[in-house]
Amino acid sequence: MEQTIGGRIKQVRKEAGLTQQKFADRIGCKQNTVAQYETDRNPPIDPIIKSICREFNISEAWLRNGEEPKNADEARRKALARAVGRARARGDPYIAILQKAVLDLSDE
C-alpha cells in the first residue's frame, strides 16, 4: 500500500524524534491538528506543508506525493543538474563549466 501524506508527516515527525506537540510547535499548529494530518482525517494546508518542508529540509514533492528524493537539497541539486543538461544539449559553451560545478556540489 502506498504511503499517504499523513504517513509521510508521521514519518518525518518520528525520524526527528518529536512528539506530536513538539512537532506542532515547530510547524505552527496544534497537536490535535497534527494528529488529524497523520491519520489523514484532514489534509494539511499549503502554509503547513511549506513549514514542514522548511523546518525538516524535506522536498515538497516527496511530502505531497512521495516523489523521490525526500531530501530537499538533493531534489534541488537534481533539478539544477537536469536544467544544466538541457542547456548543454542546446550547445551553450559556458554550460560545461556550470555543469561541472553542479556535479561537484557537496552535501555541505
Side-chain angles (χ1 to χ4, degrees):
M1 181 176 192
E2 187 173 313
Q3 191 178 38
T4 64
I5 189 169
R8 287 186 291 277
I9 289 170
K10 185 173 185 176
Q11 179 182 337
V12 169
R13 179 179 64 79
K14 294 270 189 181
E15 287 175 357
L18 298 173
T19 64
Q20 286 181 340
Q21 182 61 57
K22 297 276 186 197
F23 187 81
D25 292 343
R26 290 221 10 216
I27 64 171
C29 67
K30 296 181 180 181
Q31 178 275 324
N32 64 333
T33 305
V34 171
Q36 291 177 359
Y37 295 158
E38 289 184 358
T39 57
D40 293 305
R41 281 189 297 220
N42 286 322
I45 60 176
D46 286 342
I48 292 295
I49 289 174
K50 291 184 184 313
S51 180
I52 292 169
C53 293
R54 182 180 56 254
E55 283 294 316
F56 299 96
N57 196 32
I58 299 299
S59 160
E60 191 171 330
W62 178 82
L63 187 59
R64 288 182 184 274
N65 308 310
E67 296 174 16
E68 293 295 334
K70 176 181 171 184
N71 180 278
D73 292 335
E74 183 63 24
R76 284 189 288 272
R77 277 194 292 276
K78 286 187 177 203
L80 181 57
R82 284 191 303 274
V84 167
R86 286 191 301 270
R88 187 170 192 193
R90 290 191 304 267
D92 187 328
Y94 297 103
I95 290 300
I97 296 166
L98 182 58
Q99 187 173 31
K100 180 175 179 348
V102 168
L103 293 174
D104 289 343
L105 287 175
S106 68
D107 288 335
E108 296 176 6

